[in-house]
């Protein structure tokens, strides 16, 4: 019995002891919130890391930002990140990193080699958001959020709200980005982020710098092919079935008015390849449900026919936007960000094997037909129109 | 209390059929759950799950051969059976082959366990410390005999099943069943290669023979074999389908331990996130259960072969040997797959087919000789 007890103690010590071997206490690490990657003129990589400032380090009575940025260069991503150690009294820990921001320059040169580090390092998590910015990536990490303590969390929340609210961008996580990157049947896409300077609403001349998610960056293999604006980005979301929320403003059917806002609640999509005159073609079916956001037209939606008509017009507008996006991707950018190749590979694997080496030449010629069905399930809390054209209540 | 514990410990035949199934299932997939899905997806892509079905059926046949052999020599454990069926020379040779195979299984499992912790969590910890931290509890359980190993396996098995039942629904929003298409796009070739990866592990279902004499109340061994094979192959199939439907078929092949990466993807709101440590803890428990079983069988086998009365005295001396072997086994993680392939290609047909067929033939010859002598 005594021997067993001894063994029990030894085992407990062993289990506790191994945990101490590689331990890093929270007061020994510098926790990263976001990383920006730029490229210098001499082809060295510049890494800028936003580090969370612990509350204990903030001097009492002196309000300081919850973060600070450090930057270092190196010939490779790993070397640049390791060089950050020269400026930090604590070792960088980026298991909690929220976002990786790439500059346009880096994205145009090709991101395949840069991504290798993030897929290889044990601290890197697959759920980080990938973003591309038009200017310097480091500029995005200058603190600009009013409601968030750091850029990383702010960017993460902007991505999350983009899915459910505006669909003005295409939020992509690291694992989705790399899956597309390694698949010859599709091209990657990433959210576009930018810094903007809004004049102060009070009109006192001050300028408020802000961060904005706007549009998307589409790639051809691992190189940036071009940019999509907000309308194109939301169309891409509809193709990919990833946006649950977007506001579609449908022009008034007749008479003056700003239009009718239809707020989409959910969208589901599927790509169905088929053959048309011996050439591959794809039917993109989108089923969206939504609710009425507001009514700024002289229309009476209390009648079922009017509602059906609004649903049809919303669908037609979405179809037109999707067709415009496909034209842009096929004719201007040459990027299969929609994933037509993946749909063809899944449906016609034998034919795909033959056409995959020439996919870049075939892709612009593929006929894509968007078919959208919109169902308005809710009209909001009020009925009919608040004020009629004559100015009186209904 | 002391008396009751000692009585339980010394009592023979206190393993239920369910405990035997859990023990052998974990002896098969205890360490495989982390690496096999990735290895299978690497060769069979989205068709890896079909490979699980093929491997499951194939190893039911090899397991049945061993059961048939056990039926000829009832009441004997694995090494007693081998020595009885093969006689002094052939039986001795087969026992040595089995011991080498079990030794390699133990070494490989310990190496993988230490490597996974090293690569994913503690890159600065010496490999020997991690290997020792896995081997010591396993050796302790093995020394405490099969009842303790069975109870450990029972707890771990339900822990793993429970975790999967939580994680898979949580990742439902990230799952895209279309990623499993197209089916058989490259024909049966890659599927068979994927099945080959799993067959090398599922052949270990013959370990059931070692526990058969200890199961009370006795049940039909066929049922246990089917349960063990279906559960082991089914769990790998589930992991294959889950992994492909979440991160696709291209990414897992690029990672050493892709199943652990699934914890990166799973998150409910900002509350239930970063389940990596929980996954790793249960996986290490599975690893310890696997090593404990094979460790126990290894020491029992050597004692049976050398006709030693006390097998427990072998546990700690072999601990040193296994620790040294598991640290020095392969140079790096890039050499590991090649070593595993070579070892699997050699031993899978030998353990799955050659040995049981040889012993069945030896049994038949022995019976014929005995009957002609009696006439």
């Amino acid at each position: 019995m005594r021997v067993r007890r001894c063994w029990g103690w030894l085992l407990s010590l062993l289990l506790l002891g191994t945990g101490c071997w590689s331990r890093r206490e929270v007061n020994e690490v510098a926790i990263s919130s976001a990383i920006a990657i730029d490229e210098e003129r001499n082809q060295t990589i510049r890494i800028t890391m936003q580090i969370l400032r612990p509350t204990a380090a903030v001097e009492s009575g002196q309000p300081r930002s919850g973060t600070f940025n450090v930057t270092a260069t190196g010939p490779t991503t790993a070397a640049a990140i390791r060089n950050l150690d020269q400026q930090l009294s604590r070792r960088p820990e980026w298991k909690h990193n929220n976002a990786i921001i790439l500059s346009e320059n880096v994205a145009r040169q090709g991101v395949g080699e840069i991504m290798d580090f993030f897929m290889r390092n044990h601290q890197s998590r697959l759920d980080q958001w990938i973003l591309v910015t038009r200017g310097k990536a480091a500029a995005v990490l200058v603190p600009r959020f009013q409601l968030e303590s750091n850029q990383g969390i702010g960017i993460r929340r902007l991505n999350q709200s983009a899915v459910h609210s505006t669909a003005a961008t295409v939020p992509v996580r690291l694992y989705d980005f790399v899956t597309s990157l390694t698949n010859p049947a599709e091209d990657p896409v990433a959210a576009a982020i930018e810094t903007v300077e809004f004049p102060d609403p009070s009109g006192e001349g001050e300028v408020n710098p802000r961060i904005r998610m706007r549009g998307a960056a589409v790639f051809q293999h691992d190189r940036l092919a071009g940019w999509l604006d907000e309308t194109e980005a939301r169309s891409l979301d509809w193709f990919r079935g990833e946006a649950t929320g977007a506001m579609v403003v449908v022009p008034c059917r007749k008479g003056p008015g700003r239009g009718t806002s239809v707020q989409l609640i959910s969208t589901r999509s599927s790509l169905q390849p088929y053959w048309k005159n011996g050439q591959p073609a794809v039917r993109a079916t989108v089923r969206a449900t939504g609710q009425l956001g507001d009514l700024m037209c002289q229309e009476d939606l209390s009648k079922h026919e009017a509602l059906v008509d609004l649903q049809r017009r919303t669908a037609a507008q979405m179809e037109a936007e999707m067709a415009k996006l496909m034209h842009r991707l096929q004719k201007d950018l040459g990027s299969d960000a929609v994933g037509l190749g993946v749909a063809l590979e899944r449906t016609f694997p034998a034919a795909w094997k033959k056409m995959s080496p020439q996919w870049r030449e075939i892709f612009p010629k593929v006929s894509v037909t968007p078919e959208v069905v919109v169902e308005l399930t809710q009209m909001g809390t009020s009925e009919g129109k608040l004020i009629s054209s004559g100015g009186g209540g209904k | 209390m002391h008396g009751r514990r000692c009585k339980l410990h010394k009592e023979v035949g206190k393993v239920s059929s369910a405990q035997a199934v859990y023990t052998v299932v974990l002896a098969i997939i205890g360490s495989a759950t982390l690496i096999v899905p990735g290895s299978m997806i690497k060769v069979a892509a989205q068709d890896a799950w079909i490979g699980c079905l093929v491997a499951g059926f194939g190893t039911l046949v090899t397991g049945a051969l061993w059961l048939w052999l056990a039926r000829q020599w009832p009441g004997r454990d694995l090494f007693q059976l081998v020595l009885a069926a093969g006689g002094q020379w052939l039986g001795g040779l087969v026992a040595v082959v089995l011991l080498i195979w079990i030794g390699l299984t133990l070494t490989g499992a310990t190496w993988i366990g230490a490597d996974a912790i090293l690569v994913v969590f503690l890159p600065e910890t010496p490999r020997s410390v991690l290997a020792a931290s896995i081997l010591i509890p396993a050796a302790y359980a093995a020394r405490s005999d099969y009842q303790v190993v069975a109870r450990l396996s029972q707890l771990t098995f339900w822990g793993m099943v429970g975790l999967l039942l939580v994680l898979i629904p949580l990742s439902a929003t990230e799952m895209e069943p279309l990623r499993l298409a197209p089916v058989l796009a490259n024909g049966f070739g890659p599927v068979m290669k994927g099945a080959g990866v799993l067959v090398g592990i599922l052949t270990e279902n013959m370990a059931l023979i070692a526990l058969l004499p200890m199961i009370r109340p006795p049940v039909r061994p066929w049922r246990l074999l089917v349960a063990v094979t279906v559960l082991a192959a089914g769990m790998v199939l589930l992991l294959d389908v889950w992994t492909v439907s979440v991160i696709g078929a291209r990414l897992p092949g690029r990672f050493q331990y892709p199943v652990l990466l699934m914890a990166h993807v799973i998150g409910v709101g900002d509350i239930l996130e970063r389940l990596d440590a929980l996954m790793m803890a249960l996986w290490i428990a599975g690893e310890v259960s696997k090593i404990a079983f094979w460790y126990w069988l290894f020491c029992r086998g050597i004692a049976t072969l050398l006709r030693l009365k006390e097998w427990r005295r072998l546990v700690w001396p072999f601990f040193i040997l296994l620790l040294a072997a598991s640290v020095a086994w392969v140079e790096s993680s890039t050499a590991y797959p090649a070593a595993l392939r070579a070892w699997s290609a050699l031993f899978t047909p030998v353990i799955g087919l050659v040995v049981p067929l040889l012993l069945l033939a030896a049994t038949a010859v022995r019976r014929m000789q005995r009957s002609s002598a009696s006439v």
Side-chain angles (χ1 to χ4, degrees):
Chain A
M1 194 62 189
R2 189 178 289 172
V3 176
R4 281 181 170 221
R5 218 171 263 172
C6 284
W7 272 115
W9 279 109
L10 269 176
L11 276 176
S12 314
L13 279 175
L14 183 85
L15 290 173
L16 293 171
T18 50
C20 295
W21 201 290
S22 299
R23 79 184 194 283
R24 279 191 202 165
E25 301 295 340
V26 81
N27 57 357
E28 294 170 354
V29 296
I31 299 170
S32 163
S33 177
I35 290 175
I37 304 174
D38 289 291
E39 190 164 313
E40 300 287 287
R41 279 183 189 167
N42 54 358
Q43 292 216 318
T44 53
I45 291 170
R46 174 170 293 280
I47 296 285
T48 307
M49 188 179 272
Q50 184 165 74
I51 308 277
L52 300 182
R53 195 195 303 272
T55 316
V58 179
E59 291 172 30
S60 59
Q62 291 185 359
R64 292 166 72 183
S65 165
T67 60
F68 64 96
N69 295 342
V70 284
T71 183
T73 58
T76 62
T77 316
I81 285 184
R82 185 46 64 95
N83 286 343
L84 291 171
D85 289 7
Q86 295 167 357
Q87 304 163 48
L88 285 166
S89 55
R90 300 178 185 187
R91 200 141 172 214
E93 182 86 15
W94 41 288
K95 281 178 183 166
H96 294 267
N97 198 60
N98 293 289
I100 300 168
I101 300 137
L102 306 163
S103 71
E104 180 173 1
N105 192 20
V106 166
R108 288 213 185 269
Q109 306 267 339
V111 295
E113 289 176 350
I114 285 172
M115 286 298 133
D116 181 84
F117 172 80
F118 294 101
M119 300 308 285
R120 198 174 294 279
N121 191 281
H122 78 283
Q123 287 199 22
S124 178
R125 291 182 65 86
L126 292 180
D127 57 354
Q128 298 175 78
W129 298 96
I130 298 286
L131 305 104
V132 185
T133 184
R134 283 188 168 83
K136 287 264 181 195
V140 178
L141 295 189
V142 176
R144 291 171 201 274
F145 283 103
Q146 301 296 318
L147 295 175
E148 306 297 344
S149 58
N150 67 74
Q151 297 297 98
I153 289 181
I155 291 168
R156 188 180 82 187
R157 294 205 167 134
L158 276 181
N159 271 290
Q160 287 167 341
S161 76
V163 175
H164 303 293
S165 167
T166 59
T169 184
V170 186
V172 172
R173 290 177 188 261
L174 179 59
Y175 69 89
D176 260 340
F177 187 82
V178 177
T179 300
S180 305
L181 198 64
T182 53
N183 191 349
E186 66 178 319
D187 288 313
V189 59
I193 191 165
E194 61 185 17
T195 51
V196 283
E197 294 188 338
F198 289 112
D200 189 87
S202 62
E204 289 175 5
E206 285 184 23
V207 173
N208 289 323
R210 294 272 194 279
I211 291 288
R212 184 166 64 181
M213 304 282 290
R214 192 182 184 195
V218 289
F219 290 72
Q220 201 182 78
H221 186 45
D222 76 330
R223 288 167 194 268
L224 179 68
W227 301 92
L228 301 181
D229 63 22
E230 298 115 298
T231 315
E232 290 165 338
R234 77 175 185 184
S235 299
L236 185 53
D237 278 327
W238 292 334
F239 268 112
R240 293 160 65 102
E242 284 171 1
T244 53
M247 195 69 83
V248 183
V249 180
V250 185
C252 300
R253 186 171 179 75
K254 55 186 176 182
R258 296 169 197 268
T260 307
S261 305
V262 174
Q263 188 188 338
L264 300 185
I265 300 166
S266 72
T267 52
R268 281 182 298 153
S269 72
S270 66
L271 300 177
Q272 295 128 9
Y274 61 98
W275 296 100
K276 188 174 163 186
N277 304 326
Q279 294 296 314
V282 176
R283 188 179 302 111
T285 311
V286 176
R287 296 189 72 84
T289 53
Q291 64 181 19
L292 197 63
D294 62 10
L295 182 59
M296 298 182 82
C297 295
Q298 301 302 318
E299 292 174 22
D300 181 8
L301 290 180
S302 59
K303 290 177 183 168
H304 181 68
E305 293 76 26
L307 187 68
V308 171
D309 182 59
L310 179 61
Q311 290 178 163
R312 191 190 51 73
R313 282 187 289 138
T314 311
Q317 179 159 332
M318 288 171 71
E319 284 170 1
E321 284 182 22
M322 289 168 75
K324 199 177 154 199
L325 168 74
M326 272 323 298
H327 185 270
R328 181 92 205 286
L329 289 174
Q330 288 180 304
K331 308 297 177 198
D332 297 349
L333 302 171
S335 170
D336 185 9
V338 169
L340 300 185
V342 174
L344 279 162
E345 186 187 19
R346 284 172 183 165
T347 315
F348 305 116
W352 172 253
K353 270 187 197 167
K354 287 178 194 162
M355 74 171 85
S356 61
Q358 292 90 40
W359 179 236
R360 290 271 171 230
E361 291 81 54
I362 297 170
F363 169 69
K365 298 169 196 159
V366 178
S367 161
V368 181
T369 316
E371 287 181 4
V372 182
V373 178
V374 176
E375 194 181 352
L376 290 174
T377 53
Q378 295 165 50
M379 303 300 283
T381 51
S382 64
E383 286 181 1
K385 184 158 171 47
L386 187 65
I387 301 170
S388 66
S389 55
K394 189 175 178 184
Chain B
M1 186 66 187
H2 174 73
R4 193 171 70 88
R5 202 179 289 166
C6 286
K7 193 183 166 194
L8 266 177
H9 187 68
K10 284 177 185 168
E11 228 173 84
V12 177
K14 270 294 176 185
V15 170
S16 69
S17 53
Q19 281 178 323
V21 169
Y22 304 142
T23 308
V24 182
V25 167
L26 283 187
I28 298 169
I29 60 161
S31 61
T33 46
L34 265 196
I35 51 162
V36 170
S39 306
M40 290 186 74
I41 294 166
K42 199 172 190 171
V43 290
Q46 65 274 12
D47 293 331
W49 65 274
I50 307 174
C52 295
L53 299 178
V54 175
F57 281 115
T59 49
L60 267 179
V61 175
T62 58
L65 286 177
W66 277 98
L67 277 193
W68 194 11
L69 182 67
R71 210 173 154 188
Q72 314 295 316
W73 305 93
R76 288 178 167 85
D77 71 16
L78 183 65
F79 283 92
Q80 291 168 344
L81 166 74
V82 165
L83 291 171
Q88 195 181 355
W89 293 106
L90 180 64
L93 181 70
V94 168
V96 169
V97 170
L98 277 176
L99 285 170
I100 293 171
W101 177 61
I102 295 172
L104 280 170
T105 303
L106 278 169
T107 311
T110 312
W111 190 91
I112 292 169
D115 191 65
I117 305 172
L118 198 73
V119 168
V120 182
F121 288 102
L122 304 170
E124 287 156 20
T125 309
R127 186 182 290 273
S128 54
V129 173
L130 298 173
S133 67
I134 293 170
L135 264 182
I136 289 175
Y140 180 73
R143 197 180 179 281
S144 307
D145 219 343
Y146 61 91
Q147 296 100 323
V148 173
V149 177
R151 271 178 238 140
L152 171 69
S153 302
Q154 186 176 15
L155 284 173
T156 310
F157 178 83
W158 284 113
M160 286 172 100
V161 169
L163 184 69
L164 282 178
L165 288 178
V166 171
L167 291 185
I168 292 175
L170 282 184
S171 59
T173 51
E174 305 291 339
M175 284 162 75
E176 197 184 320
L178 274 176
R179 287 188 170 134
L180 291 161
V183 179
L184 292 175
N186 297 310
F188 264 102
V191 171
M192 296 311 284
K193 279 186 189 168
V197 173
L198 190 56
V199 163
I201 290 143
L202 285 184
T203 308
E204 293 169 10
N205 63 0
M206 49 72 72
L208 186 63
I209 308 295
L211 285 178
L212 276 183
M214 285 84 166
I215 297 171
R216 293 288 182 279
V219 287
R220 287 184 182 174
W222 304 104
R223 287 186 181 178
L224 297 185
L225 177 72
V226 171
V228 162
T229 314
V230 167
L231 277 174
M235 266 179 114
V236 178
L237 186 146
L238 190 66
L239 289 171
D240 277 338
V241 170
W242 184 38
T243 309
V244 172
S245 61
V246 172
I247 55 176
R250 285 174 201 276
L251 222 45
R254 290 169 188 263
F255 289 102
Q256 282 176 276
Y257 306 106
V259 174
L260 267 182
L261 293 175
M262 304 297 283
H264 290 198
V265 177
I266 298 162
V268 177
D270 287 341
I271 307 163
L272 209 53
E273 286 185 329
R274 297 174 189 269
L275 301 168
D276 322 31
L278 184 64
M279 277 182 88
M280 195 68 184
L282 271 167
W283 178 76
I284 290 172
E287 181 82 18
V288 169
S289 304
K290 175 181 180 114
I291 295 170
F293 173 79
W294 290 108
Y295 207 141
W296 168 79
L297 193 58
F298 188 63
C299 295
R300 289 280 292 244
I302 290 174
T304 310
L305 185 66
L306 300 178
R307 293 179 187 162
L308 302 176
K309 282 185 182 171
E310 185 50 84
W311 63 271
R312 284 187 176 85
R313 290 192 180 163
L314 298 171
V315 170
W316 294 112
F318 274 107
F319 167 78
I320 307 290
L321 275 178
L322 283 171
L323 182 61
S326 66
V327 172
W329 187 46
V330 285
E331 288 169 7
S332 68
S333 54
T334 48
Y336 176 75
L340 190 68
R341 269 198 302 274
W343 161 37
S344 185
L346 176 68
F347 279 99
T348 303
V350 170
I351 303 296
L353 289 171
V354 177
V355 167
L357 288 173
L358 203 62
L359 292 177
L360 278 168
T363 304
V365 170
R366 204 173 290 271
R367 294 246 161 104
M368 279 167 65
Q369 282 173 346
R370 229 180 265 168
S371 61
S372 61
S374 64
V375 171

